[in-house]
Amino acid sequence: MKVTDVIVHCLENEGVEYVFGIVGTEVLDLVDSLSKSTQIQYINVRHELGAAFMADVYGRLSNKVGVCLSTLGPGAANLITGMASARLDHSPVVAIIGQAGVERHHKESHQYLDLVTMFEPATKWSTQINVSQTVPAKVRKAFKMAKMDKPGSVAITLPENFSSQMIGGSPLPVTSLPVCVPAQESIEAAGTLIKKHLKPFVIVGNGVIRQEAVPELLTFVEALQCPVTHSFMAKGVLPKEHPLNYYTFGFKENDEVLPGLKEADFLIVIGFDFVEKLPKDWNVKKLPILHIDSLPSEINDYYPLEVELVGNIKNTLQLLNQSTLPTKSWLPSGGLKDQIKTAYQIDQPVSGTLSFTIEQVLHCVNSHTTEDTVVISDVGAHKVSIARTYQPKKPNRLVISNGLASMGIAIPGAIGAKLACPDDLVICITGDGGALMNFAEIETAKRLGLSFIIIVLNDSMLKLEVQQMDKKFGETYGVTFQNPNFVQLAASFGIKGMRVSTLDEFENIFNEAMQSDGEIFLIEVTLEN
């Protein structure tokens, strides 16, 4: 078999269902080999960034590794933002990237860049096939690295001269990742620490979702009876009305939960990724920390560790729950939970406003969808509103890019989500800035016969930057633009689009979109500037 045939057999052995990418000269053999696979569907996309975003969201929701493909030079450069996003959001992704033949790596050459070095800071592991016979081992290691804690992206570069070489070899067996738990003395030390303090506050991150530890988390916090807050990407870990739920934290400003954290005397931090919010922003008093995560904590002045419980989060919480946990029943003063609900407009948007707001849109979506609905948020001012207001009914049903926070993820992300969850309603919410970055992927979705709802928030500006510049300088510059007619643009792709400018219009059109099973439906929401 040629090298690319072996690569495809290895991908099949890893359970790969989809490969997202764009063909180029250096990957022709690989795509030819993919064409012969009865297991893997190759999906040709419209931009390599879209391919990486599709693989990212597919990986998050399917519990598998998302796979993307590009050629060398500009194709690889286009891919790198999505790979960096997967790296920082801990999504399991493997990219296979074509490269110039090794005979021209030592000199200036057409489209040649040192891709291994280029992808090193954007991935967990960046490697190149330099010996054909190492293909099975490198592919197996790539998938293992992508899945093992903490998950992330891996890049394999394939020089063109190896692609058609004839080799022997077969895929290596896929083995389960080891499940580790803290030593018993560490569990006992954690119990002693909890007993010592009167006012613990629990901070939950996305690691709890990644390791499927939500039921154990609920048992843990209900035994302690202490307040809980969670990061953007951990939304859904507690039901909206749970009495211990103090909602989301991690905003640049107006983090309403901070007074409660300052009132605590001890923080229990579970599965939290520093990339979402550094401790200096939420632990200004340098309260002692009980760290529960799959990896040891990073060193940080504002993260003073007392005890670390390092291992599988689900199993660690099970061990803690089997011990005798003391009840630490307390609530922050001043009706903080109600203050947060009001500030974040969790129960209802601010009354008396004459304008049509994103919060009204989110309440409509919340009230008309089921617990299995998947919402993809793009990046911008609306992401902040979604992180505050929108309340998913289950964990891992709201996808937010928060590590790299890259605009443009929503539309390609909806494709990855629909392929991972074909029976569930998928809704992507994007600003006009992010929408046009990857709008062409609607053609990809249409060609695949997918169905989802796209909500485009049109205010002809980068609203978050407008707000920040206005606050800092008293004026704005370089953050407004003109938009196309999104309804006509949608029609040009063969999908239905409708424009709304009031809540009543949105509710009617959204209900119509919910009934349009098997189709892509775009709703353009015109918002006041």
Side-chain angles (χ1 to χ4, degrees):
M1 291 185 292
K2 64 181 180 179
V3 164
T4 54
D5 291 333
V6 175
I7 290 174
V8 170
H9 285 314
C10 291
L11 297 181
E12 291 172 334
N13 184 57
E14 299 289 344
V16 174
E17 298 176 301
Y18 304 102
V19 173
F20 308 95
I22 293 183
V23 176
T25 301
E26 291 70 23
V27 292
L28 291 179
D29 279 285
L30 181 55
V31 175
D32 175 62
S33 297
L34 283 168
S35 72
K36 300 166 188 172
S37 175
T38 58
Q39 174 183 316
I40 301 172
Q41 180 181 357
Y42 172 68
I43 296 176
N44 53 311
V45 304
R46 305 312 298 261
H47 195 284
E48 291 88 354
L49 176 57
F53 281 151
M54 291 174 204
D56 174 341
V57 176
Y58 172 84
R60 292 194 211 191
L61 296 177
S62 67
N63 200 29
K64 298 181 180 180
V65 177
V67 181
C68 53
L69 174 150
S70 82
T71 189
L72 81 175
N78 286 342
L79 196 71
I80 198 166
T81 298
M83 293 294 285
S85 182
R87 171 75 175 92
L88 293 183
D89 278 345
H90 300 299
S91 300
V93 174
V94 168
I96 303 175
I97 307 164
Q99 177 59 296
V102 295
E103 71 278 0
R104 58 188 179 99
H105 287 194
H106 65 287
K107 56 189 174 182
E108 184 177 50
S109 186
H110 179 65
Q111 291 191 315
Y112 173 73
L113 296 168
D114 183 350
L115 299 182
V116 173
T117 301
M118 193 168 93
F119 275 84
E120 279 178 351
T123 59
K124 289 181 70 177
W125 184 46
S126 177
T127 188
Q128 179 171 290
I129 304 296
N130 291 316
V131 178
S132 298
Q133 285 73 19
T134 63
V135 164
K138 285 208 168 183
V139 173
R140 177 80 277 270
K141 181 176 178 179
F143 276 77
K144 185 175 182 178
M145 289 280 289
K147 285 283 284 184
M148 65 189 290
D149 287 318
K150 295 183 178 181
S153 55
V154 173
I156 304 175
T157 301
L158 176 65
E160 185 181 13
N161 59 291
F162 291 119
S163 295
S164 57
Q165 283 187 2
M166 303 303 291
I167 62 170
S170 57
L172 299 182
V174 176
T175 56
S176 300
L177 293 172
V179 177
C180 304
V181 295
Q184 181 59 35
E185 52 264 34
S186 296
I187 296 290
E188 292 171 0
T192 301
L193 185 63
I194 293 171
K195 290 175 183 176
K196 173 182 172 183
H197 293 279
L198 298 177
K199 293 183 176 182
F201 208 122
V202 176
I203 294 175
V204 179
N206 194 36
V208 170
I209 294 176
R210 289 195 300 265
Q211 300 207 337
E212 300 179 340
V214 173
E216 290 76 16
L217 172 74
L218 283 168
T219 301
F220 179 71
V221 298
E222 286 172 359
L224 291 182
Q225 287 295 304
C226 63
V228 181
T229 185
H230 53 267
S231 70
F232 290 9
M233 294 174 65
K235 294 199 77 168
V237 292
L238 291 183
K240 171 185 152 185
E241 297 303 334
H242 195 290
L244 300 175
N245 188 355
Y246 278 70
Y247 306 105
T248 322
F249 82 104
F251 307 100
K252 286 183 179 292
E253 55 187 31
N254 298 329
D255 236 334
E256 301 290 339
V257 76
L258 291 183
L261 293 176
K262 291 176 182 177
E263 196 174 339
D265 62 1
F266 169 50
L267 300 179
I268 303 174
V269 184
I270 309 176
F272 181 76
D273 305 320
F274 278 15
V275 73
E276 288 212 71
K277 195 69 173 176
L278 288 171
K280 70 178 180 62
D281 296 316
W282 47 265
N283 193 17
V284 294
K285 292 177 64 177
K286 297 186 180 182
L287 298 173
I289 301 286
L290 168 58
H291 173 85
I292 303 174
D293 204 358
S294 56
L295 294 179
S297 166
E298 292 189 45
I299 303 302
N300 190 288
D301 289 345
Y302 289 85
Y303 202 76
L305 288 167
E306 293 281 331
V307 174
E308 284 189 276
L309 298 182
V310 178
N312 178 272
I313 297 173
K314 185 182 185 75
N315 289 5
T316 300
L317 289 175
Q318 286 174 346
L319 290 174
L320 282 171
N321 291 337
Q322 290 166 10
S323 64
T324 304
L325 290 171
T327 298
K328 297 288 180 175
S329 183
W330 78 281
L331 296 176
S333 60
L336 183 63
K337 183 180 175 75
D338 288 337
Q339 290 180 28
I340 295 172
K341 290 176 73 173
T342 299
Y344 293 178
Q345 302 184 46
I346 287 173
D347 283 334
Q348 61 183 10
V350 173
S351 60
T353 179
L354 298 177
S355 59
F356 180 32
T357 67
I358 173 62
E359 286 76 20
Q360 291 173 331
V361 169
L362 297 175
H363 278 278
C364 183
V365 171
N366 249 136
S367 62
H368 288 78
T369 53
T370 70
E371 64 176 15
D372 292 321
T373 299
V374 179
V375 172
I376 317 289
S377 171
D378 218 309
V379 174
H382 61 279
K383 185 184 93 167
V384 176
S385 296
I386 291 169
R388 292 176 187 270
T389 304
Y390 183 72
Q391 301 298 313
K393 301 174 180 70
K394 283 198 327 188
N396 211 26
R397 296 282 104 176
L398 173 63
V399 176
I400 291 180
S401 173
N402 206 39
L404 194 65
S406 177
M407 291 175 66
I409 192 174
I411 291 176
I415 294 173
K418 194 63 182 179
L419 292 171
C421 309
D423 298 326
D424 299 330
L425 174 65
V426 173
I427 302 169
C428 81
I429 304 176
T430 177
D432 42 12
L436 288 179
M437 288 185 176
N438 281 305
F439 204 85
E441 300 302 349
I442 291 177
E443 188 279 325
T444 306
K446 177 73 173 175
R447 179 174 10 106
L448 293 172
L450 302 180
S451 63
F452 50 85
I453 298 172
I454 304 169
I455 299 173
V456 179
L457 306 168
N458 183 357
D459 56 11
S460 298
M461 66 173 67
L462 299 175
K463 187 174 181 180
L464 187 60
E465 285 67 30
V466 166
Q467 293 169 343
Q468 292 171 344
M469 291 182 77
D470 199 40
K471 180 179 179 180
K472 188 171 184 177
F473 307 116
E475 58 184 358
T476 63
Y477 179 78
V479 287
T480 60
F481 39 73
Q482 293 182 341
N483 283 319
N485 184 313
F486 283 101
V487 173
Q488 292 182 4
L489 189 56
S492 73
F493 283 90
I495 69 171
K496 188 170 184 178
M498 299 289 285
R499 182 183 296 112
V500 301
S501 57
T502 69
L503 179 59
D504 288 342
E505 290 176 346
F506 179 80
E507 287 182 322
N508 291 334
I509 297 302
F510 185 70
N511 283 326
E512 180 182 343
M514 294 270 288
Q515 304 305 315
S516 60
D517 190 36
E519 296 180 349
I520 303 169
F521 199 115
L522 182 143
I523 305 174
E524 178 185 352
V525 178
T526 56
L527 300 173
E528 292 183 9
N529 291 339

